[in-house]
Amino acid sequence: MIGRLDFLHAADDSVTDSDVLRLALQHAMAELGALGGCVHVRGSGGELHLVSSAGLPAVSVRAWEVLPADSASATARAVGCDGRAWDPPGSRPADAVLPPAGAAGRIAVPLHGAEGRVGALTLLTGRRREPSAEDWRFLRRVADWVQDRLTARPLPDPPARTPGTSPAEPTAPAPADARELARALWDAEDALLRVDTAWRVTAANPAARALLGHPDGPTAVGRVLWQEPGPWQTPEAEERCRLAVARGRAAGFDTVLPATGRCHHVRVLPAPGGAVLHVMEAGAWRRRQADEVAAIRDSAERARSTVELTTALAAARTSQDVVTAVAERVLPPFAAHGLLVLVREGDRLAHIGSVGYPRSFLDDMGGTRGMTMTGHLPAERALLRDEPLFYASREEWLADNPGDDRPPSTKQAWAFLPLTASGRTFGVCVMAFDTERRLTPEERTLLLAVSALVAQALERARLSDAELTRSRELQRDLLPRHLPRLREATATARYVPAGQGSDVGGDWYDLIPLSAGRVALVCGDVMGHGLSEAATMGRLRTATHTLAALELPPDELMGHLNDIVAEIGPDAYATCLYTLYDATTGTCTVVRAGHPPPLVVHADGRTAYPDVPDNPPLGGARPPFETAELTLPPDSLLLLYTDGLVESAQRDIDEGMAALARLVAAADRTDLDRLADHLVARLLPGGQPATDDAALLVASLHALPRADVASWRLPDGPRAAGEARRHVREQLATWHLDDLSVTTELLASELVGNVVRHARGPIGFRLLRTGALVCEVSDASLTMPRIRRASETDEGGRGLQLVSVLAERWGSRFTPDGKTIWTEQPLTPSPETVAEALLSLADAD
């Protein structure tokens, strides 16, 4: 029982009224094992009209067409005062109206509506015992479901009828106009017929008689409608007709004539004493109606698409965004198949976007450079005259362009819409159709309105494209054009901007050569996108170069960068990874501020992310910064990258870092350029991140051979300079760099003498052969040397001036025990440098 009720309540709103009655009867009959059933609705006079039946023969149905309100039948009693009624099989109340199968029992429950009891559901059964309480409860719930889904209305009171007249006869002579109207209806092509309350045909015009199968005479009159051929023969059509009469209001529906398969529209008009049925073939009428509905729907769809297009164009940031918006929201409503957007660039007409055209066609137009304007093509005429052109067929094209043998594509119809903004026509939008298409005036007006929207959006987008291009050019200029070639590290880098339409980002990288076989590797990311972020990136990169040249320790350098970002504003943040590699010791000092850790790849392919303390991002950190000291084997790879390379909407950063490690371990690492390209291609599908820039720096770290490093401890006092010169002569002879002996001896004497006079020992002395010759002198003092201008009468103060002349570079740096002063010379000295050294040595003597 519960299953049947659940099934009924699961019915959706598409269930028709006749389906409601039929479902209620079928499930009630199945649950109680009934032989048949019917539903009656009370008319305005109290009589009960049959509106639906199941399992009953035709003769029984006719007997139950109309039941008096005071009948003793179970149906009438259920609608009356009893509320429910039960007649066992064989019982025959004296005034009961019974079907021929009078031996059947009857079970009836009332149907309720807004006016109380409006009808009854009756079951015919062969069982002799009264339904159980559970049976009554089930029938009551079925009736409640019918009440919820079907609100019955009483039939209107029938008009008073003159005794002796039939329901079909008028009580007074019809006026002339009414007779003419009746004659017109009688001769109409549509079928018109009248039935009484028992659904017997009382009148039928010729078209109706032909539909009933009696075209030559009035033999259809007096026959029951359901027994005659016509569109009412289906159970659904019969129940709809009965329900319309019971409710007392007109109803219409479509049905298929079984004999011909044609669709007919049946209109049921309740009338005093019966009903009038109007039947027309629905084919042409439905087609016209469908065409009208389709036209209204198409117009509404175009209007909706125009609203969506306006929203999309307002959000468009690039020219391609504009083309995409037009292709998605304008082409489908107009059934167009091609789109071409052309703009004027000097004396050329270039296309900036297209849909539905083959590459060969675009190449014939000159590709992205476009073609030289001649003023003869329709697109050029529409642009130059600021007038739209419409061609509904190829014949119209040829007629308007007699010099062309054929249109320059396989399209069959075109619309050329000039693009005008700020009083200037700068382009044309071409819509094309694969079939002949004549646009209506309404469609042409709408397309012109659309072209105005597209022109405004395209002008904004082209300005945005130009600004984005300038921003990216600025960003490229701020990034290193080439990485230096160093003996300590071989490196390559990749920078990949975000996808089309995204602002420039603040990702950057650098490789900075320092003194004494040391090199700094840097990677950073300014949070956010835009021109200001790119400018901040440039400031940070310049500051990093300057601070690194001052030989500051990594933690102090990061503290100065933090101050720079904090001064920009409270919402400015950046991440940074700074790595200082010493090729003489193989050690690497790493400090990071909110940035992903570096990836270390050993020569045997093992990968590891070292445990480097993560400090807050620049702009939000408070020094001091924690650092990590790593010892790397020779020829290890060190990878620095930004989060745009490893993180996306489909992949979190941990997954991306794991993928980066797997790719590097499995790849060929002999060629760094190929390795970098391989990593970018695999980590960025399509070769470009969607929303964020990506930077990658890959460096192969090389250890400085022990044979290229020589160091000594010098004695305190005046003898130190002499020993330094001796060590220089001996070591440079070993390295076959005798040509540098004179200048290097002089540099060593000045540096050591400066320590003896102004600092304190112990004194360390070191020579390194890297890409240049480095001479270092160390002491325990924290006082840094500085160049000053000596006057003509000063006896000293010229030592560092001499150093700056003889050395290509020189500087100083703090060490854990004091400071180091260093000089750097090219391995092949110039004649000018040698002459300067000899002159200086002669002056010293």
Side-chain angles (χ1 to χ4, degrees):
M1 177 184 300
I2 298 300
R4 294 186 185 279
L5 293 173
D6 290 342
F7 181 82
L8 289 176
H9 286 293
D12 58 22
D13 295 338
S14 64
V15 176
T16 63
D17 293 346
S18 58
D19 287 336
V20 169
L21 300 178
R22 189 181 306 109
L23 285 171
L25 279 176
Q26 290 173 347
H27 284 281
M29 291 167 57
E31 184 67 26
L32 273 69
L35 305 174
C38 55
V39 175
H40 286 77
V41 173
R42 185 170 60 184
S44 59
E47 71 279 3
L48 299 174
H49 293 262
L50 177 68
V51 295
S52 184
S53 64
L56 298 179
V59 63
S60 300
V61 172
R62 285 199 298 273
W64 285 70
E65 288 281 2
V66 180
L67 297 179
D70 56 355
S71 167
S73 65
T75 303
R77 298 203 315 272
V79 180
C81 59
D82 292 351
R84 72 183 189 188
W86 155 248
D87 289 340
S91 62
R92 298 178 61 86
D95 59 348
V97 179
L98 298 176
R106 290 160 301 280
I107 306 169
V109 293
L111 300 176
H112 292 268
E115 303 159 346
R117 295 171 186 166
V118 297
L121 185 151
T122 306
L123 299 180
L124 275 67
T125 178
R127 65 190 205 180
R128 295 189 171 276
R129 59 181 177 82
E130 184 177 358
S132 65
E134 186 176 356
D135 292 337
W136 287 118
R137 188 161 49 251
F138 172 77
L139 291 176
R140 178 69 266 158
R141 294 180 68 177
V142 171
D144 291 342
W145 178 77
V146 173
Q147 173 187 340
D148 291 339
R149 304 304 295 265
L150 181 65
T151 303
R153 285 174 32 179
L155 290 170
D157 293 331
R161 181 166 56 89
T162 302
T165 61
S166 67
E169 295 173 343
T171 58
D177 291 345
R179 287 195 299 271
E180 292 178 4
L181 177 60
R183 172 57 60 186
L185 294 175
W186 184 265
D187 295 334
E189 295 181 358
D190 296 338
L192 291 165
L193 55 93
R194 174 73 184 266
V195 296
D196 59 16
T197 55
W199 295 95
R200 289 187 298 269
V201 178
T202 60
N205 71 346
R209 289 201 299 268
L211 192 64
L212 293 168
H214 305 282
D216 299 329
T219 54
V221 175
R223 292 179 173 271
V224 176
L225 182 66
W226 320 123
Q227 297 176 350
E228 299 301 307
W232 36 75
Q233 285 190 329
T234 63
E236 169 114 9
E238 179 181 345
E239 290 180 1
R240 287 192 174 191
C241 292
R242 291 180 181 277
L243 192 58
V245 172
R247 285 180 164 179
R249 63 185 183 202
F253 57 89
D254 289 346
T255 183
V256 177
L257 193 63
T260 63
R262 294 179 179 177
C263 180
H264 289 68
H265 183 72
V266 180
R267 187 76 177 166
V268 183
L269 306 169
V276 174
L277 276 71
H278 176 204
V279 183
M280 71 185 84
E281 188 171 351
W285 176 65
R286 282 296 174 196
R287 283 194 297 272
R288 289 194 302 270
Q289 188 181 52
D291 290 343
E292 293 175 359
V293 171
I296 295 174
R297 184 169 53 247
D298 291 344
S299 178
E301 176 66 19
R302 285 193 292 268
R304 183 186 63 79
S305 297
T306 302
V307 173
E308 293 181 354
L309 175 66
T310 303
T311 304
L313 292 178
R317 303 190 60 185
T318 67
S319 300
Q320 187 58 47
D321 291 341
V322 175
V323 174
T324 301
V326 175
E328 292 178 351
R329 293 171 175 84
V330 178
L331 297 189
F334 286 89
H337 306 88
L339 175 69
L340 189 63
V341 180
L342 306 169
V343 295
R344 184 174 184 176
E345 296 180 354
D347 62 344
R348 303 186 70 84
L349 194 62
H351 82 273
I352 60 173
S354 64
V355 173
Y357 284 94
R359 171 56 58 184
S360 59
F361 173 80
L362 301 177
D363 292 340
D364 290 342
M365 292 186 61
T368 56
R369 291 186 64 253
M371 55 186 177
T372 303
M373 295 181 61
T374 62
H376 300 303
L377 295 178
E380 299 172 357
R381 296 203 306 272
L383 188 154
L384 296 174
R385 300 175 185 175
D386 191 17
E387 294 179 357
L389 295 176
F390 299 96
Y391 299 106
S393 64
R394 298 175 72 87
E395 288 73 17
E396 290 189 10
W397 173 292
L398 294 172
D400 196 46
N401 299 273
D404 294 340
D405 295 335
R406 58 183 178 83
S409 72
T410 59
K411 305 299 183 183
Q412 301 297 319
W414 299 263
F416 294 85
L417 310 171
L419 299 175
T420 303
S422 303
R424 181 178 64 90
T425 302
F426 63 89
V428 61
C429 178
V430 185
M431 286 180 57
F433 305 84
D434 286 347
T435 59
E436 294 186 1
R437 177 80 154 83
R438 186 169 298 280
L439 297 170
T440 65
E442 177 190 359
E443 290 174 328
R444 295 188 179 192
T445 302
L446 185 56
L447 280 179
L448 292 176
V450 166
S451 67
L453 295 175
V454 172
Q456 296 291 337
L458 196 57
E459 186 179 44
R460 292 194 305 269
R462 297 185 74 200
L463 292 175
S464 178
D465 287 341
E467 180 180 355
L468 182 59
T469 300
R470 289 192 296 269
S471 299
R472 287 186 170 168
E473 289 175 351
L474 171 63
Q475 185 185 41
R476 283 194 296 269
D477 290 340
L478 293 175
L479 288 172
R481 292 186 177 273
H482 304 286
L483 294 178
R485 300 176 64 86
L486 305 176
R487 188 178 180 188
E488 298 83 3
T490 304
T492 189
R494 296 293 183 271
Y495 172 77
V496 185
Q500 181 72 22
S502 299
D503 279 329
V504 294
D507 293 19
W508 56 287
Y509 57 87
D510 218 333
L511 181 68
I512 307 173
L514 302 177
S515 64
R518 301 185 311 149
V519 61
L521 299 94
V522 195
C523 191
D525 183 3
V526 179
M527 296 184 184
H529 294 83
L531 193 58
S532 61
E533 282 74 12
T536 301
M537 177 268 289
R539 293 178 61 181
L540 289 179
R541 178 171 177 259
T542 302
T544 304
H545 260 276
T546 302
L547 295 170
L550 294 176
E551 304 278 0
L552 294 180
D555 55 339
E556 293 185 26
L557 181 145
M558 197 68 77
H560 287 293
L561 294 181
N562 181 69
D563 294 339
I564 293 174
V565 177
E567 290 174 359
I568 294 175
D571 298 327
Y573 294 97
T575 67
C576 186
L577 176 64
Y578 185 87
T579 303
L580 180 61
Y581 173 65
D582 190 340
T584 63
T585 62
T587 60
C588 196
T589 305
V590 184
V591 58
R592 67 184 181 118
H595 203 85
L599 176 62
V600 177
V601 186
H602 296 270
D604 59 2
R606 290 181 295 112
T607 61
Y609 288 101
D611 186 13
V612 179
D614 188 12
N615 300 280
L618 301 178
R622 292 185 177 181
F625 285 82
E626 289 189 78
T627 63
E629 196 82 15
L630 310 176
T631 300
L632 303 180
D635 298 323
S636 297
L637 289 185
L638 191 65
L639 277 72
L640 283 65
Y641 52 91
T642 58
D643 56 0
L645 182 71
V646 294
E647 187 178 27
S648 66
Q650 295 77 30
R651 178 181 61 200
D652 61 37
I653 191 168
D654 292 333
E655 293 174 345
M657 291 170 59
L660 174 61
R662 288 194 303 270
L663 289 171
V664 174
D668 179 10
R669 297 179 294 279
T670 57
D671 187 331
L672 296 187
D673 285 317
R674 291 176 58 186
L675 175 62
D677 292 336
H678 173 70
L679 295 178
V680 169
R682 294 296 300 275
L683 290 172
L684 302 177
Q688 193 174 52
T691 58
D692 197 6
D693 294 8
L696 172 66
L697 177 64
V698 183
S700 178
L701 305 180
H702 311 302
L704 196 63
R706 292 184 179 275
D708 290 339
V709 181
S711 60
W712 303 270
R713 178 65 60 87
L714 300 180
D716 293 337
R719 292 187 306 106
E723 285 200 26
R725 287 194 296 270
R726 179 174 59 83
H727 292 315
V728 166
R729 289 192 298 272
E730 294 174 353
Q731 189 62 47
L732 294 187
T734 302
W735 286 343
H736 305 291
L737 297 176
D738 302 273
D739 291 342
L740 295 177
S741 181
V742 175
T743 55
T744 308
E745 285 184 52
L746 188 53
L747 289 172
S749 295
E750 291 296 335
L751 296 181
V752 172
N754 192 60
V755 171
V756 171
R757 287 190 296 270
H758 303 293
R760 55 189 175 85
I763 303 174
F765 182 60
R766 189 168 70 158
L767 293 175
L768 297 91
R769 183 174 60 175
T770 60
L773 178 64
V774 179
C775 177
E776 289 186 344
V777 176
S778 304
D779 61 62
S781 173
L782 297 178
T783 302
M784 288 293 184
R786 62 185 181 87
I787 296 179
R788 66 183 181 87
R789 180 173 294 278
S791 65
E792 295 179 357
T793 59
D794 289 340
E795 295 183 359
R798 298 178 177 85
L800 292 182
Q801 293 183 20
L802 179 62
V803 169
S804 65
V805 171
L806 297 179
E808 186 176 56
R809 293 196 310 153
W810 76 276
S812 59
R813 65 177 182 274
F814 288 109
T815 65
D817 302 321
K819 71 174 182 297
T820 296
I821 306 174
W822 56 270
T823 66
E824 188 176 284
Q825 307 169 74
L827 295 180
T828 303
S830 64
E832 293 80 6
T833 303
V834 175
E836 290 280 358
L838 293 174
L839 181 60
S840 299
L841 188 58
D843 292 342
D845 292 339

